[in-house]
Amino acid sequence: MRIFPNAQEISESMGLLAAIDRFTDLQFGSSAVTCVCVGDGCRPRTAALACFRTKWQRIISVDPCLRMEPSYSSIARLELYTARIEDVTFHVDASHNDVVIFLPHAHVVPNIALGSLRFEAGHSPRVTVVQMPCCNYEWQDRIGGLDADHAFIDYAIGSTRRRMRVWCDVFAAAVKCGAIYTGERRIQRSGALERENGVLTTYPLSCSVKRDVRRTTEKQARVAKPSKNKFYVVLKGRQTGIFTSWDECQAQVGGFSGFQYRVFKTETEARAWQHAATTASVREEGDISVEASG
């Protein structure tokens, strides 16, 4: 699957999971857990490792550079979103007693990552945050006024950026400071687009939520997108059919298990292939091409 290109990235993802095992009583065998990995890069390394090593029911990887390779669809419980964490929201199942946020060298402060979570009224699970900070984000060492419960350097990580911070439960503090919202409280961002579990929703400009200032890097600002003059045939997704933009296609396949689609330069080619693929009795998975936005 080529999820881990080198030993350094393996050690970083292993270090995040090891911190959970070492400093919390959260069980890898528990299923009532939602896990969100922010900043995995072009490969869902930490999220995939969590899928392999735990039985957590919902495991999500979010990164604007994330590639959706066909082989990733075979990883059970893995959801992929090629997007900034600011532009997505995830509703946490009321039966889940634990939420884990992993920040592996993520270029985002913890409060912004927590802002992607939505909880039902009366639902107050334990929210654990494990941060491996880098660059200018090392200064963000508090969540809702709370210092990390554990801060240390993990020398087993094969990187110069091996500082680790663990907050065992930030739910109450994050709600109090406005990073997390529950119940019927309106969640709106100034001029932003939110992706409600894969569905884009616009919000009015008049209502905004104060959040920690996030320093946007030049790398994040340059998220390459495919050309508009292409036709995307979605065979398996939330909706199937032919779409004329990557954003429309991504809304159908992002986070969808077993997604399948192919890209064509002309509508004629797209319709011809769609007809052949849908009428064929046997389809080969290897015939599906994938184009990423990062």
Side-chain angles (χ1 to χ4, degrees):
M1 294 182 184
R2 299 180 180 178
I3 294 176
F4 296 98
N6 53 57
Q8 174 183 317
E9 294 200 3
I10 294 176
S11 67
E12 290 170 352
S13 297
M14 288 290 291
L16 292 164
L17 283 170
I20 290 288
D21 189 42
R22 178 181 177 186
F23 294 110
T24 76
D25 60 0
L26 177 59
Q27 300 298 311
F28 286 176
S30 174
S31 61
V33 180
T34 295
C35 174
V36 181
C37 303
V38 183
D40 261 342
C42 61
R43 299 176 178 87
R45 51 190 178 118
T46 306
L49 185 63
C51 289
F52 298 146
R53 296 204 59 199
T54 75
K55 294 184 179 180
W56 298 345
Q57 188 174 50
R58 191 178 187 194
I59 301 175
I60 302 163
S61 181
V62 183
D63 194 284
C65 297
L66 187 63
R67 299 172 184 170
M68 294 190 181
E69 300 291 347
S71 58
Y72 298 159
S73 63
S74 64
I75 303 176
R77 296 170 285 118
L78 178 63
E79 297 181 28
L80 305 178
Y81 293 88
T82 304
R84 301 187 310 163
I85 192 63
E86 298 94 321
D87 298 331
V88 295
T89 56
F90 302 106
H91 292 272
V92 179
D93 193 301
S95 65
H96 287 193
N97 301 318
D98 283 281
V99 176
V100 177
I101 302 289
F102 285 133
L103 300 169
H105 293 164
H107 288 183
V108 64
V109 297
N111 280 13
I112 295 295
L114 290 166
S116 67
L117 303 176
R118 301 291 180 267
F119 300 89
E120 294 183 8
H123 184 208
S124 55
R126 174 174 56 176
V127 178
T128 302
V129 178
V130 183
Q131 181 194 38
M132 186 188 304
C134 72
C135 305
N136 293 328
Y137 297 91
E138 293 197 18
W139 59 267
Q140 181 65 25
D141 57 357
R142 309 188 83 191
I143 298 178
L146 295 178
D147 291 320
D149 296 294
H150 306 278
F152 60 99
I153 296 177
D154 188 345
Y155 290 100
I157 295 175
S159 167
T160 57
R161 301 287 188 176
R162 57 185 68 169
R163 184 181 302 277
M164 302 286 289
R165 298 183 184 129
V166 180
W167 289 265
C168 294
D169 187 3
V170 301
F171 181 82
V175 170
K176 185 176 180 179
C177 76
I180 286 180
Y181 302 89
T182 62
E184 299 300 323
R185 185 171 178 177
R186 297 181 68 187
I187 313 302
Q188 299 181 343
R189 305 178 187 180
S190 179
L193 288 176
E194 287 196 355
R195 192 181 302 274
E196 297 281 351
N197 288 333
V199 180
L200 284 173
T201 307
T202 58
Y203 288 90
L205 295 172
S206 59
C207 184
S208 63
V209 175
K210 291 183 178 180
R211 298 175 181 270
D212 288 356
V213 176
R214 177 176 181 269
R215 299 180 183 178
T216 304
T217 65
E218 183 180 356
K219 179 180 178 181
Q220 289 170 315
R222 297 196 310 266
V223 179
K225 289 191 176 181
S227 169
K228 294 182 179 180
N229 298 323
K230 293 183 180 180
F231 297 86
Y232 302 81
V233 182
V234 177
L235 285 184
K236 291 185 179 180
R238 293 181 180 84
Q239 293 183 6
T240 60
I242 298 177
F243 302 89
T244 56
S245 73
W246 166 245
D247 288 340
E248 291 177 310
C249 177
Q250 186 188 31
Q252 312 311 323
V253 301
F256 186 89
S257 179
F259 65 88
Q260 292 184 2
Y261 71 95
R262 190 168 183 176
V263 188
F264 294 90
K265 293 183 178 180
T266 67
E267 184 177 3
T268 301
E269 292 176 329
R271 292 194 179 281
W273 186 82
Q274 180 191 36
H275 177 74
T278 53
T279 56
S281 58
V282 178
R283 303 189 190 98
E284 295 182 0
E285 291 186 3
D287 193 34
I288 305 301
S289 299
V290 172
E291 181 165 343
S293 66

